[in-house]
Amino acid sequence: MSEQPRRMQVLQAIVEDYVSSREPVGSKALVDRHQLGVSSATVRNDMAALEEEGLIVAPHTSSGRIPTDKGYRLFVDQISEVKPLSAAERRAVQTLLDATGDFNEMMARTVRALAQLTNQVAVLQYPHVDSSTIRHLEFVSLAPHRALVVVILSSGQVDQRAFHVEAEAPEASVAALKQLFLRYLDGLTPAQAPDGLRLALAEVPAEDRALALGFAAHLDQVFAARREDRIIMAGTANLARSTGDFPLSIGPILEALEEQVVLLRLLTEMEQDVRGLSVRIGSENSGSLAEASVIAAGYGPGAPGAGAKLGVVGPTRMDYPGTMTAVRAVARYLSRILSQQP
């Protein structure tokens, strides 16, 4: 084997051993644990060359070596094929995501499943409103003074909101208002919805105006929520258990997760590679996430072109192959479910 492929093999062994043990890796341990087919002296020379290239570093004098951000990047770039989930993992994901419930419940289950699969913090960005349009409305009279609005978007999202009405809501009036509002809102994005609501209200008969204003106000609340970029997450405790992986402090990373603005900007900027994944490692992230790695994949009915992303945040000492597998698999599974929604 020539020097370059062997050095890549040594780097891969160092990454794998350090990820599993959290201990710096020495040449003797590499020879003992991996079938490298060369002597300890040759491995030491390879490690010296890797260190000179900035791919590994000695955290302490006379210690073993650990990968640098650059080393992790080369290791990740060499992963040409992302393996599928195991049969047991596939069944677990399928069971979680196939359970009944509305769109928001499914999203919450998705992010919990990814956190469990990866033992990292899982994050899910809701679909960008620009790619979702209003597909259907339902207005329902629940009781003499209770009504319900239901909004179905092209992304598969279903929102409903019940509210109190002062006057009774006759079924004929409710049905007529639904058709009127749908005529003006069908095909619009949540950002365009206020204009459609104004046009619809201008045509409401005087006797139904109070009822129509109630429906319009609660529709507007639904659309306003959809106009806001937001993230849900699960598994924050997984990050808290990894404090030893953050030399400075885990505090800024937890703050970034809590504030979400930095994370939202990062997810929006991340571009997918040919494997359908986005991977940012350590110093490739700016500011408070410079000690963390982020792995994400786009999802949605039109994935991979969908703007929203699903991923994980964790320390740079991460099981990259396993995490990449889980992120891509869950994103594809979620996309498949959303594409089947009415």
Side-chain angles (χ1 to χ4, degrees):
M1 184 184 294
S2 65
E3 286 187 1
Q4 203 55 38
R6 192 184 63 242
R7 285 177 186 168
M8 189 63 227
Q9 194 177 357
V10 170
L11 174 64
Q12 180 177 336
I14 291 171
V15 171
E16 290 173 354
D17 282 7
Y18 180 61
V19 166
S20 64
S21 70
R22 197 181 286 179
E23 295 293 332
V25 184
S27 58
K28 185 177 184 306
L30 288 176
V31 172
D32 291 344
R33 284 197 287 260
H34 299 271
Q35 304 298 318
L36 298 174
V38 292
S39 66
S40 291
T42 301
V43 171
R44 280 196 297 275
N45 290 336
D46 288 338
M47 291 175 71
L50 291 170
E51 188 167 10
E52 192 173 328
E53 292 174 34
L55 300 170
I56 59 174
V57 67
H60 310 291
T61 306
S62 302
S63 73
R65 302 297 186 266
I66 67 174
T68 62
D69 291 351
K70 184 180 176 183
Y72 282 125
R73 167 50 63 191
L74 182 57
F75 170 77
V76 166
D77 288 346
Q78 293 294 319
I79 302 173
S80 57
E81 291 186 15
V82 179
K83 295 178 181 178
L85 291 178
S86 69
E89 289 170 333
R90 277 200 311 276
R91 283 195 298 272
V93 172
Q94 188 168 355
T95 300
L96 272 167
L97 299 194
D98 280 350
T100 57
D102 66 13
F103 179 84
N104 293 318
E105 289 174 4
M106 182 175 66
M107 296 308 230
R109 288 196 306 270
T110 299
V111 80
R112 285 198 302 271
L114 186 57
Q116 290 168 11
L117 279 173
T118 61
N119 292 315
Q120 307 289 358
V121 180
V123 296
L124 186 149
Q125 178 187 21
Y126 265 65
H128 289 317
V129 296
D130 290 345
S131 62
S132 299
T133 57
I134 299 159
R135 177 175 287 180
H136 191 64
L137 300 177
E138 284 294 341
F139 291 176
V140 183
S141 178
L142 298 175
H145 294 282
R146 294 287 291 172
L148 177 76
V149 295
V150 180
V151 178
I152 302 174
L153 298 179
S154 59
S155 61
Q157 300 173 26
V158 179
D159 272 317
Q160 56 187 41
R161 198 168 295 237
F163 61 99
H164 176 80
V165 291
E166 293 298 329
E168 289 194 13
E171 286 190 14
S173 296
V174 170
L177 289 174
K178 184 198 90 168
Q179 292 300 328
L180 174 62
F181 278 89
L182 185 57
R183 190 164 79 242
Y184 282 101
L185 294 173
D186 185 27
L188 300 184
T189 67
Q192 298 165 332
D195 291 334
L197 288 173
R198 280 193 294 273
L199 292 171
L201 284 171
E203 289 193 20
V204 173
E207 64 270 20
D208 290 332
R209 185 154 186 82
L211 182 61
L213 286 170
F215 279 118
H218 289 83
L219 281 172
D220 192 51
Q221 289 177 23
V222 170
F223 298 139
R226 289 298 175 203
R227 289 193 290 267
E228 298 171 3
D229 270 336
R230 59 183 175 131
I231 283 178
I232 58 172
M233 65 183 69
T236 308
N238 292 328
L239 192 65
R241 285 194 289 270
S242 303
T243 52
D245 286 308
F246 300 97
L248 299 178
S249 170
I250 198 172
I253 296 171
L254 291 172
E255 287 173 12
L257 292 174
E258 187 176 335
E259 292 175 3
Q260 299 192 2
V261 176
V262 173
L263 197 54
L264 268 169
R265 187 183 306 121
L266 175 62
L267 289 173
T268 302
E269 292 172 353
M270 290 174 76
E271 295 183 2
Q272 293 186 171
D273 58 26
V274 294
R275 299 166 297 193
L277 290 159
S278 308
V279 183
R280 290 278 191 95
I281 299 169
S283 54
E284 295 172 359
N285 300 309
S286 58
S288 53
L289 292 174
E291 287 187 26
S293 285
V294 183
I295 298 177
Y299 76 90
K309 292 191 178 73
L310 166 72
V312 300
V313 179
T316 55
R317 190 191 65 86
M318 178 189 289
D319 172 14
Y320 288 95
T323 303
M324 290 162 68
T325 290
V327 168
R328 193 175 72 170
V330 174
R332 286 181 171 182
Y333 204 94
L334 181 58
S335 297
R336 205 154 53 236
I337 291 174
L338 292 176
S339 67
Q340 293 166 359
Q341 300 238 343

